[in-house]
Amino acid sequence: MPGTNDEKSDTNRTETGSETSDRPSIAALSERFDLTEHRRYLSHDLEGVILDLGAGKGAMFPYLRTAVQRGPALHLHAIEPDPHRRRQAKRTASTHGLDVHLRSGRAESLPYADDTFDVIIASAVFCTVQDPSRALTEVHRVVKPDGEFRFLEHVRSGGLRGYVQDAVTPLWKRIVNGCHLNRRTDDWIAAGPFDFDEIETLSIGVSPSKPFVRGTATPVRKTET
């Protein structure tokens, strides 16, 4: 299996050349509260070929390392469009002795063949992708028909907080690395090419980026979409 030094560029997508370490992200803000339980949820009982979608700085890597220790036959892949975070993710992988094929790319145009992955993991990713519906279509394309999509995402709140999120989002996404506070990712998954196996609303988060939802979904058969 390729190691972290096998990162490949993808000429079919664009990236900004500037580093974004001085700009906050929802993943960084999320570290203000403890996500240990929820990342363990995302990484439990993994088998086969795994994709960490939007790896960021490698926050999932310590948990994936534990998964590898339990199941050495795992094949780990990760994708991250930001070059600075990708370098940080490589360092994180090296620190934890994790063998992961880390490459450039965006969720809306995944550089993988159809039916590649047994499990795809998304942790605080869909708030920043440019086209969430297209990204879900791509996840459906590259996950195996009997595979699984696992997610932990913050979503639009109900009531007054939701209206506040709507009002704040135009400014928020400019200063927090493109993060949309008011995305209904859970609704998009439900309306898209997946069936929920589990979904739970979590009263966690740093206001105004709360609540979170976590769960698992399986792809609707390709012939049904």
Side-chain angles (χ1 to χ4, degrees):
M1 181 175 65
T4 57
N5 59 351
D6 291 323
E7 176 189 336
K8 299 178 182 178
S9 62
D10 189 336
T11 57
N12 292 328
R13 54 194 39 76
T14 59
E15 295 178 345
T16 58
S18 61
E19 296 185 354
T20 57
S21 59
D22 57 336
R23 297 179 63 191
S25 69
I26 188 58
L29 294 174
S30 297
E31 295 309 322
R32 296 183 185 178
F33 54 95
D34 188 6
L35 288 179
T36 299
E37 172 193 347
H38 309 297
R39 288 188 172 133
R40 285 176 177 162
Y41 170 91
L42 294 176
S43 60
H44 79 284
D45 294 337
L46 292 174
E47 295 182 355
V49 186
I50 314 301
L51 175 64
D52 184 5
L53 184 71
K57 300 176 182 180
M60 279 298 303
F61 288 179
Y63 304 89
L64 294 175
R65 175 58 181 163
T66 300
V68 168
Q69 290 171 334
R70 294 173 179 169
L74 289 178
H75 297 271
L76 301 179
H77 297 254
I79 193 166
E80 170 55 44
D82 183 85
H84 178 62
R85 291 193 180 89
R86 203 162 54 247
R87 287 191 292 271
Q88 291 178 307
K90 289 178 67 175
R91 290 194 291 269
T92 302
S94 178
T95 297
H96 291 276
L98 186 67
D99 190 13
V100 55
H101 187 183
L102 175 65
R103 65 188 300 182
S104 168
R106 296 187 177 277
E108 299 93 335
S109 183
L110 294 173
Y112 304 104
D114 295 358
D115 305 336
T116 296
F117 298 102
D118 294 282
V119 179
I120 297 178
I121 296 171
S123 178
V125 171
F126 277 84
C127 59
T128 58
V129 297
Q130 295 179 2
D131 187 340
S133 295
R134 175 61 185 167
L136 286 170
T137 299
E138 280 288 274
V139 169
H140 182 265
R141 180 182 66 80
V142 302
V143 73
K144 295 179 181 179
D146 59 348
E148 187 178 48
F149 175 44
R150 302 183 182 184
F151 55 90
L152 173 68
E153 299 287 342
H154 75 90
V155 296
R156 187 185 187 276
S157 180
L160 178 60
R161 181 184 285 135
Y163 291 109
V164 171
Q165 290 171 327
D166 292 340
V168 171
T169 288
L171 176 61
W172 183 268
K173 67 182 182 180
R174 293 180 61 184
I175 62 176
V176 189
N177 199 38
C179 171
H180 294 71
L181 294 168
N182 58 348
R183 284 195 164 164
R184 304 175 186 266
T185 302
D186 48 345
D187 290 344
W188 288 335
I189 296 171
F194 292 93
D195 288 329
F196 285 128
D197 296 316
E198 299 177 355
I199 185 166
E200 179 182 4
T201 301
L202 307 170
S203 296
I204 62 172
V206 178
S207 188
S209 57
K210 59 186 305 184
F212 273 63
V213 293
R214 77 174 191 186
T216 63
T218 49
V220 175
R221 288 184 300 170
K222 267 65 170 181
T223 55
E224 296 178 2
T225 57

